[in-house]
mmCIF file of all heavy atoms in Angstrom:
data_model
loop_
_atom_site.group_PDB
_atom_site.id
_atom_site.type_symbol
_atom_site.label_atom_id
_atom_site.label_comp_id
_atom_site.label_asym_id
_atom_site.label_seq_id
_atom_site.Cartn_x
_atom_site.Cartn_y
_atom_site.Cartn_z
ATOM 1 N N GLU A 62 -171.832 -26.215 -176.339
ATOM 2 C CA GLU A 62 -170.839 -26.592 -175.325
ATOM 3 C C GLU A 62 -170.654 -28.109 -175.390
ATOM 4 O O GLU A 62 -171.395 -28.856 -174.748
ATOM 5 C CB GLU A 62 -171.362 -26.130 -173.952
ATOM 6 C CG GLU A 62 -170.488 -26.423 -172.777
ATOM 7 C CD GLU A 62 -169.060 -25.957 -172.917
ATOM 8 O OE1 GLU A 62 -168.839 -24.747 -172.745
ATOM 9 O OE2 GLU A 62 -168.173 -26.793 -173.211
ATOM 10 N N GLU A 64 -168.735 -30.297 -174.184
ATOM 11 C CA GLU A 64 -168.473 -31.135 -173.019
ATOM 12 C C GLU A 64 -169.556 -31.010 -171.957
ATOM 13 O O GLU A 64 -169.270 -30.961 -170.779
ATOM 14 C CB GLU A 64 -167.108 -30.776 -172.433
ATOM 15 C CG GLU A 64 -166.016 -31.115 -173.417
ATOM 16 C CD GLU A 64 -164.659 -31.083 -172.777
ATOM 17 O OE1 GLU A 64 -164.391 -32.001 -171.999
ATOM 18 O OE2 GLU A 64 -163.912 -30.128 -173.038
ATOM 19 N N ILE A 90 -171.292 -28.878 -167.055
ATOM 20 C CA ILE A 90 -170.227 -28.721 -168.049
ATOM 21 C C ILE A 90 -168.972 -29.351 -167.494
ATOM 22 O O ILE A 90 -168.546 -29.023 -166.388
ATOM 23 C CB ILE A 90 -170.032 -27.224 -168.369
ATOM 24 C CG1 ILE A 90 -171.319 -26.761 -169.054
ATOM 25 C CG2 ILE A 90 -168.838 -27.016 -169.296
ATOM 26 C CD1 ILE A 90 -171.707 -25.405 -168.716
ATOM 27 N N ASP A 91 -168.437 -30.313 -168.255
ATOM 28 C CA ASP A 91 -167.367 -31.120 -167.693
ATOM 29 C C ASP A 91 -165.970 -30.536 -167.878
ATOM 30 O O ASP A 91 -165.052 -30.962 -167.216
ATOM 31 C CB ASP A 91 -167.426 -32.549 -168.267
ATOM 32 C CG ASP A 91 -168.678 -33.262 -167.770
ATOM 33 O OD1 ASP A 91 -169.049 -33.024 -166.605
ATOM 34 O OD2 ASP A 91 -169.295 -34.032 -168.518
ATOM 35 N N SER A 92 -165.810 -29.551 -168.777
ATOM 36 C CA SER A 92 -164.454 -29.035 -168.966
ATOM 37 C C SER A 92 -164.073 -28.236 -167.721
ATOM 38 O O SER A 92 -164.917 -27.633 -167.057
ATOM 39 C CB SER A 92 -164.362 -28.164 -170.217
ATOM 40 O OG SER A 92 -165.214 -27.057 -170.085
ATOM 41 N N SER A 93 -162.771 -28.263 -167.377
ATOM 42 C CA SER A 93 -162.348 -27.659 -166.120
ATOM 43 C C SER A 93 -162.467 -26.141 -166.183
ATOM 44 O O SER A 93 -162.701 -25.485 -165.177
ATOM 45 C CB SER A 93 -160.911 -28.067 -165.801
ATOM 46 O OG SER A 93 -160.118 -27.846 -166.935
ATOM 47 N N GLN A 94 -162.303 -25.546 -167.369
ATOM 48 C CA GLN A 94 -162.464 -24.111 -167.451
ATOM 49 C C GLN A 94 -163.545 -23.760 -168.474
ATOM 50 O O GLN A 94 -163.242 -23.457 -169.644
ATOM 51 C CB GLN A 94 -161.161 -23.435 -167.833
ATOM 52 C CG GLN A 94 -160.210 -23.358 -166.659
ATOM 53 C CD GLN A 94 -158.956 -22.631 -167.016
ATOM 54 O OE1 GLN A 94 -158.399 -22.798 -168.090
ATOM 55 N NE2 GLN A 94 -158.486 -21.787 -166.112
ATOM 56 N N PRO A 95 -164.801 -23.804 -168.041
ATOM 57 C CA PRO A 95 -165.863 -23.526 -168.994
ATOM 58 C C PRO A 95 -165.692 -22.118 -169.584
ATOM 59 O O PRO A 95 -165.492 -21.158 -168.832
ATOM 60 C CB PRO A 95 -167.139 -23.580 -168.149
ATOM 61 C CG PRO A 95 -166.745 -24.083 -166.814
ATOM 62 C CD PRO A 95 -165.282 -23.981 -166.668
ATOM 63 N N PRO A 96 -165.707 -22.027 -170.904
ATOM 64 C CA PRO A 96 -165.469 -20.745 -171.537
ATOM 65 C C PRO A 96 -166.628 -19.748 -171.353
ATOM 66 O O PRO A 96 -166.446 -18.548 -171.503
ATOM 67 C CB PRO A 96 -165.282 -21.071 -173.007
ATOM 68 C CG PRO A 96 -165.940 -22.418 -173.196
ATOM 69 C CD PRO A 96 -165.905 -23.097 -171.875
ATOM 70 N N LEU A 97 -167.811 -20.257 -170.982
ATOM 71 C CA LEU A 97 -168.956 -19.351 -170.890
ATOM 72 C C LEU A 97 -169.524 -19.365 -169.474
ATOM 73 O O LEU A 97 -169.510 -20.389 -168.820
ATOM 74 C CB LEU A 97 -170.064 -19.840 -171.834
ATOM 75 C CG LEU A 97 -169.757 -19.780 -173.330
ATOM 76 C CD1 LEU A 97 -170.741 -20.633 -174.109
ATOM 77 C CD2 LEU A 97 -169.787 -18.338 -173.815
ATOM 78 N N SER A 98 -170.038 -18.231 -169.042
ATOM 79 C CA SER A 98 -170.678 -18.195 -167.718
ATOM 80 C C SER A 98 -172.082 -18.784 -167.840
ATOM 81 O O SER A 98 -172.637 -18.880 -168.929
ATOM 82 C CB SER A 98 -170.783 -16.749 -167.228
ATOM 83 O OG SER A 98 -171.738 -16.082 -168.009
#
Side-chain angles (χ1 to χ4, degrees):
E62 180 53 77
E64 296 193 72
I90 294 144
D91 292 324
S92 62
S93 50
Q94 283 183 319
L97 294 164
S98 71

